[in-house]
Amino acid sequence: MTGEVVLRVSGLSARIGHQQVVEDVSFDVPAGEVTAILGRNGAGKTSTIKGILGLIGRSGIVELEGERIDTLATDRIVRRGVGYVPEDREVFASLTVAENLRLAERDASPRRELVAELFPELITRGAQRAGTLSGGQQQMLSLSRALLNDNRILLIDEPTKGLSPKLVAEVVAALEVVARVVPILLVEQNLNAARRLAARLVVIEDGRSVLSGPASEFFEDEERLIRMLGVHGSGVGGVGTA
Amino acid sequence: MNAVLVSMRRPGARWLLSALLVVGLAALPLLNIVVPGVLPGPSYTPGTLQLLALSLIFAALALSYHVLFGAAGLLSFGHALYFAIGAYGLGILLKRTELPLLLAVAVVLAGTLVVATVLGAISLRVSGISFAMVTLAFAQAGSVLIQRNSGITGGEDGLSLSTQQLPDFFVGVLNTRNLYWLALALLVVVFLAVRWFERSRAGHVAAAARENELRVRVIGLRPFSVKLVAVVIAGVLAAAIGMVYLLLQSGVVPGVASSNFTLTLLVIVVLGGVGSRWGAVIGGVVYTLLDQRLSALAGSDAIAGLPAVLRVPLSEPLFLLGTLFILVVLFLPGGIVGVAGRLTRRAGRTSGATREDPRDVIEETE
Amino acid sequence: MSTVALLLITGLGLGALYFLVASGLSLIYGLMGVLNFAHGSFLTISAFLAWEVARRIGADSWGSLGLALLVGAVVGGIVAAGTELLLIRRLYERHIEQVLVTVGLALASVALFQGIWGTDPQYVTGPAWLAQTTDVLGARIPNNRFLLIAVAAAVLLTLLLFLRYTRFGLVIRAGVENRSMVTALGIDVRRAFTLVFTIGGAAAGIGGVLASHYFGYVSPEMGASLLIFAFIVTVIGGLGSLAGAALAAVFVAVIQQFANFYLGGTGDIMVVLLLAVVLLVRPRGLLGRRG
């Protein structure tokens, strides 16, 4: 499988309102591994993900396993097998945990056992309103919504944002399990997490993809990477920890 | 046509054309111009002048609404309230007090200022669609007050103009042309006032807030106060226009306070082209003439002879206008001015920046 | 005491009407961000067509009243669904234009109703029981009030169960909270749009038939005048909240009745004052989550 391209993004640009937030982003996501998008705050990482999904206005070419998906509506893109775990979780706060999961089920036989195995807590808290969950639990719920279905790729936006180091480790461990089954395009500010998960990196600067390649090459010259990502004051948390 | 539109894009030519237009309109009562199908009679006859004056008043009122919707991005469903305050306020003062005309006008304007400030401050606590509903509710309360207090307002029958305190040159059918000139002067004044507001600092902040409220807040300005200024200016202008309307129509009926009346203004502004002063003016004139001609058509023998399937809809001017409005919204965003602009660009091949449709922007700030 | 009972039950009856109109408005706004000015016309056309059906088969039987309610619901639902599919959908996500289109539809349709049925009210009759009164705590309550309250309560219960226990209900509740995330779960939320329009139109249609019995007539402007109070109810209750709409509908109608009786016919003004107070104290409305 490795070497085959699942998702190919060519010349993607995206806008919020009249403002161009992604200028020219191109990269491939190969099968069987995790590709991480890195970049400073406001560089256009989240907008790239949203542009791929059509959640914001976009142009350029996006191919899923060789088929164009850049003209489709968001829901149809997702039904083609693109799972999405948004920044800030976006669980439905007024719905129960079970309802959040039920809403996300779109396959005939959703993988409830996988979710129960990875996050047993969500099953015991099924009747609880999602808005009352802790940040970490909400992240697990958000992740579970994407895992329930048989996806060809997962787009996961900052899964460790705002979590304690212990929870970061839990989420990363879960993602490692997930990555064995499905390729992931990951936005990650936490360099340690990115190092553990990502096989490839894409660096975005001012709405353009400036570099991409095997993660090992980047992490050999960590200083350069840190300089590029503007660690100082940009919230790349957890670099020195763990 | 195209040559004129192209030349309109140069500021100097624009001023000259506007001045010529005003002079031409001012000369109408002295000329014998016949436009079959558009005007009911020659341009000097009182009936025609009455209609033309009414269309100028609607143009002015649409301009005052443009201050809210076009300039400040506020979708108000209660603008009729201020028009009604002007018309009823002056009518009641002239009937019930001995105040001379100018003093009565001043009192009404001052009253409107207060009402607009208070109601504006309350309704601006919410934004977007909620603002629309709240303004609708306030206007509805005004409408109810007018209908309930028939002792003062004349209730359903309306209020007739009491002419004792009026100068003679505003009274009587033969003086319709004086009222026409008054309406024209009013339109010019309102146009200049709206233009002044849009080009003032407050106007620029309002426009900026319309496009991106957050950014305005970030640079330390309060969108609330500029929006309130817009509400007050629009309200006071509408009241002034209402007073001229009272003089022209020799009275006022409760319909002008209804929500339908505000909806009509919205139709006019959209028909002409949202975000454009000339659009509001053209929309006001076109709407009034169209309404009058469609009403005439509705009562004509040609319609009466049709089968019911055609007769019923064609004899309802508001049905035709409403349908036209839907079609404009669906297929002609930018209204009449938008269409003219596209023609101009095609004719002139000018590569200037296209005007942004403010309605696109409103949504994003919601 | 008898006056209080009369005002209270009449207020509940009127509140039932407000709720039937406001429930659809609130769901439509909550899910789609569309302020539907044509909602009053859904009510009016349903009331007229139901009246046409009922008078042809004899309006004085319970069967014809039941049929009228059914016709009202079906007509309201179909007209509303047609509006969504033909007009609203073309302007997807352009909220101001969507409002404008419904404004145009409201103006045009009321004019059309006037062309078809004239501007004078058409008087409506029903089963004899409806025109009689029942004694409650010494007050003689017109029986149609009980019908209104019972039907509105049934509609509220049905809607709550629907929202709670069906997949579409789940999609609607989630969509009210975060529409774009619903599409990002692969759900075509536009089907839910058509559905809330249909449901809202059906509720308004039932409201139209009941309103014609409450007022005793059908008129082209009937929907528009109820719509304004329904807007107020929607804002006070909190946009998007069905329970809020129910609560606010009763609240508004009862206050209106009491003010009309005890404060010299100031009911409408009091309602607007109430709206102003709610906005000052709680701009999101009683049960609203978002501003």
Side-chain angles (χ1 to χ4, degrees):
Chain A
M1 276 294 278
T2 312
E4 214 174 293
V5 173
V6 186
L7 186 78
R8 169 163 288 161
V9 176
S10 328
L12 181 75
S13 66
R15 61 202 171 274
I16 299 175
H18 294 282
Q19 202 171 352
Q20 195 82 15
V21 285
V22 175
E23 297 274 353
D24 179 11
V25 166
S26 306
F27 60 86
D28 289 348
V29 180
E33 54 189 47
V34 176
T35 303
I37 303 181
L38 302 179
R40 293 165 196 253
N41 278 334
K45 303 183 296 291
T46 294
S47 298
T48 299
I49 299 277
K50 288 190 169 173
I52 292 170
L53 283 163
L55 283 168
I56 56 177
R58 84 293 203 199
S59 57
I61 297 173
V62 182
E63 287 165 296
L64 179 68
E65 295 181 344
E67 284 177 49
R68 295 275 298 259
I69 56 166
D70 47 79
T71 53
L72 300 179
T74 302
D75 58 290
R76 295 190 54 193
I77 295 175
V78 173
R79 284 204 298 277
R80 293 252 181 133
V82 180
Y84 175 46
V85 182
E87 196 186 10
D88 302 322
R89 291 95 201 193
E90 300 198 36
V91 298
F92 299 99
S94 63
L95 271 51
T96 65
V97 172
E99 282 174 336
N100 267 277
L101 292 173
R102 191 145 50 86
L103 189 68
E105 292 174 0
R106 55 171 206 274
D107 291 353
S109 50
R111 297 186 291 204
R112 295 182 187 129
E113 306 77 24
L114 176 68
V115 169
E117 195 181 312
L118 280 175
F119 310 115
E121 206 176 348
L122 293 180
I123 308 304
T124 53
R125 291 180 182 271
Q128 190 177 335
R129 278 187 200 280
T132 62
L133 294 176
S134 72
Q137 291 160 343
Q138 289 192 7
Q139 186 60 60
M140 291 165 190
L141 178 56
S142 187
L143 202 52
S144 300
R145 289 192 306 202
L147 295 180
L148 276 168
N149 305 294
D150 189 13
N151 285 309
R152 306 195 196 171
I153 184 171
L154 296 184
L155 311 185
I156 304 182
D157 197 351
E158 293 212 35
T160 61
K161 187 180 171 189
L163 300 184
S164 68
K166 181 173 167 287
L167 282 169
V168 169
E170 271 183 45
V171 168
V172 169
L175 287 177
E176 278 180 325
V177 176
V178 174
R180 282 181 221 135
V181 209
V182 56
I184 296 175
L185 177 61
L186 178 76
V187 171
E188 187 50 83
Q189 291 273 49
N190 183 324
L191 273 191
N192 268 339
R195 192 203 320 259
R196 268 183 63 188
L197 290 167
R200 294 178 63 82
L201 295 186
V202 179
V203 177
I204 293 186
E205 220 175 84
D206 295 330
R208 294 164 194 279
S209 47
V210 289
L211 284 169
S212 67
S216 50
E217 286 177 19
F218 287 90
F219 285 113
E220 274 169 19
D221 189 357
E222 193 157 314
E223 261 180 40
R224 173 166 159 257
L225 190 60
I226 289 172
R227 207 166 48 241
M228 218 155 48
L229 302 178
V231 178
H232 301 290
S234 77
V236 180
V239 175
T241 58
Chain B
M1 177 72 177
N2 281 343
V4 174
L5 288 169
V6 172
S7 63
M8 283 286 280
R9 298 191 88 77
R10 284 194 296 273
R14 200 175 254 234
W15 270 109
L16 191 64
L17 273 172
S18 311
L20 280 175
L21 184 65
V22 172
V23 170
L25 285 172
L28 275 184
L30 309 173
L31 303 171
N32 179 4
I33 292 176
V34 181
V35 189
V38 177
L39 298 178
S43 62
Y44 64 88
T45 54
T48 303
L49 285 177
Q50 171 91 14
L51 175 63
L52 287 173
L54 194 63
S55 67
L56 297 179
I57 283 177
F58 270 86
L61 192 56
L63 265 174
S64 72
Y65 189 73
H66 160 80
V67 172
L68 294 172
F69 186 48
L74 295 168
L75 181 57
S76 164
F77 282 114
H79 199 50
L81 178 67
Y82 300 105
F83 182 78
I85 289 177
Y88 271 99
L90 185 64
I92 290 167
L93 284 183
L94 289 180
K95 190 159 255 176
R96 306 237 145 203
T97 68
E98 302 291 312
L99 288 181
L101 179 64
L102 286 179
L103 194 56
V105 168
V107 169
V108 173
L109 288 180
T112 311
L113 191 75
V114 174
V115 174
T117 309
V118 172
L119 295 188
I122 294 175
S123 44
L124 283 170
R125 281 182 60 82
V126 287
S127 59
I129 298 293
S130 297
F131 176 82
M133 292 203 215
V134 172
T135 52
L136 177 74
F138 283 137
Q140 185 62 20
S143 171
V144 168
L145 279 177
I146 288 170
Q147 294 189 14
R148 289 274 164 82
N149 297 297
S150 52
I152 305 170
T153 62
E156 289 290 340
D157 299 331
L159 185 71
S160 61
L161 177 64
S162 154
T163 52
Q164 281 126 8
Q165 275 98 274
L166 289 185
D168 288 339
F169 54 84
F170 281 157
V171 181
V173 173
L174 287 177
N175 283 320
T176 304
R177 64 184 191 177
N178 293 334
L179 289 165
Y180 168 81
W181 281 322
L182 178 67
L184 180 60
L186 175 80
L187 175 60
V188 172
V189 168
V190 170
F191 190 93
L192 293 176
V194 173
R195 185 175 178 277
W196 168 80
F197 169 74
E198 286 195 76
R199 298 192 169 191
S200 71
R201 186 170 159 71
H204 285 300
V205 176
R210 182 187 74 204
E211 303 198 5
N212 191 337
E213 174 135 350
L214 200 63
R215 205 180 299 157
V216 172
R217 282 208 187 127
V218 168
I219 58 173
L221 293 163
R222 291 188 63 207
F224 176 84
S225 6
V226 265
K227 283 184 187 168
L228 188 58
V229 169
V231 169
V232 171
I233 288 180
V236 170
L237 288 178
I241 298 160
M243 293 192 269
V244 176
Y245 175 85
L246 174 81
L247 298 181
L248 179 72
Q249 301 290 78
S250 300
V252 56
V253 290
V256 304
S258 70
S259 56
N260 262 12
F261 194 76
T262 304
L263 296 188
T264 309
L265 289 181
L266 189 61
V267 170
I268 288 174
V269 169
V270 174
L271 206 59
V274 179
S276 151
R277 284 189 297 275
W278 282 103
V281 173
I282 294 168
V285 172
V286 168
Y287 181 91
T288 316
L289 296 178
L290 207 56
D291 186 38
Q292 205 276 342
R293 295 326 290 170
L294 287 176
S295 302
L297 174 79
S300 68
D301 296 338
I303 294 294
L306 290 173
V309 180
L310 291 173
R311 190 189 69 235
V312 169
L314 287 180
S315 58
E316 294 293 336
L318 208 48
F319 173 76
L320 298 175
L321 286 167
T323 309
L324 174 70
F325 177 69
I326 293 174
L327 294 176
V328 167
V329 173
L330 285 179
F331 301 112
L332 291 180
I336 298 173
V337 167
V339 172
R342 279 195 287 278
L343 288 175
T344 318
R345 274 192 292 283
R346 204 171 297 161
R349 303 260 177 244
T350 47
S351 58
T354 45
R355 197 187 181 93
E356 277 179 9
D357 186 341
R359 285 169 297 177
D360 290 345
V361 184
I362 292 170
E363 320 219 330
E364 286 143 23
T365 57
E366 255 184 280
Chain C
M1 192 60 206
S2 66
T3 314
V4 172
L6 177 67
L7 292 174
L8 207 57
I9 295 175
T10 301
L12 278 173
L14 188 60
L17 284 185
Y18 290 166
F19 167 73
L20 288 171
V21 186
S23 54
L25 280 178
S26 194
L27 280 181
I28 289 170
Y29 184 85
L31 184 66
M32 308 168 63
V34 175
L35 179 62
N36 182 22
F37 263 83
H39 214 69
S41 296
F42 300 164
L43 181 149
T44 311
I45 181 78
S46 306
F48 268 119
L49 291 184
W51 168 72
E52 291 281 7
V53 169
R55 76 189 174 118
R56 278 179 174 72
I57 60 169
D60 52 356
S61 76
W62 282 101
S64 81
L65 178 67
L67 185 66
L69 285 170
L70 186 66
V71 169
V74 169
V75 169
I78 290 175
V79 173
T83 304
E84 201 278 324
L85 290 171
L86 295 176
L87 298 178
I88 307 292
R89 178 156 294 192
R90 291 165 171 274
L91 301 168
Y92 186 58
E93 288 293 303
R94 291 158 70 186
H95 298 145
I96 299 289
E97 271 99 333
Q98 288 174 329
V99 176
L100 295 178
V101 159
T102 66
V103 165
L105 186 60
L107 292 174
S109 58
V110 171
L112 191 63
F113 301 152
Q114 288 174 344
I116 298 171
W117 285 287
T119 48
D120 294 332
Q122 305 287 344
Y123 293 96
V124 170
T125 55
W129 179 81
L130 278 187
Q132 294 159 4
T133 60
T134 300
D135 214 70
V136 177
L137 297 173
R140 291 155 61 83
I141 314 285
N143 285 342
N144 62 38
R145 310 300 194 252
F146 301 114
L147 175 73
L148 262 63
I149 296 166
V151 174
V155 170
L156 172 63
L157 191 67
T158 311
L159 285 178
L160 286 175
L161 290 175
F162 172 80
L163 288 177
R164 185 92 178 77
Y165 292 110
T166 65
R167 173 143 184 105
F168 268 120
L170 186 60
V171 171
I172 291 170
R173 279 186 293 145
V176 167
E177 192 179 318
N178 184 346
R179 189 176 46 209
S180 73
M181 192 58 221
V182 174
T183 60
L185 290 178
I187 296 162
D188 182 2
V189 80
R190 287 175 307 177
R191 281 165 67 197
F193 289 177
T194 314
L195 188 73
V196 286
F197 253 85
T198 312
I199 292 173
I206 292 171
V209 179
L210 293 176
S212 65
H213 286 283
Y214 180 86
F215 296 117
Y217 61 82
V218 196
S219 80
E221 292 86 11
M222 189 167 82
S225 53
L226 276 171
L227 183 68
I228 290 176
F229 289 105
F231 277 149
I232 296 175
V233 163
T234 313
V235 174
I236 291 180
L239 292 161
S241 164
L242 196 66
L247 199 66
V250 170
F251 205 41
V252 163
V254 168
I255 284 184
Q256 205 176 6
Q257 291 299 320
F258 276 85
N260 270 340
F261 187 83
Y262 289 110
L263 300 173
T266 55
D268 296 356
I269 309 296
M270 292 306 287
V271 169
V272 173
L273 276 181
L274 177 69
L275 173 71
V277 170
V278 168
L279 282 179
L280 286 172
V281 180
R282 199 178 158 83
R284 288 161 182 209
L286 297 178
L287 300 184
R289 276 188 300 272
R290 296 179 297 165

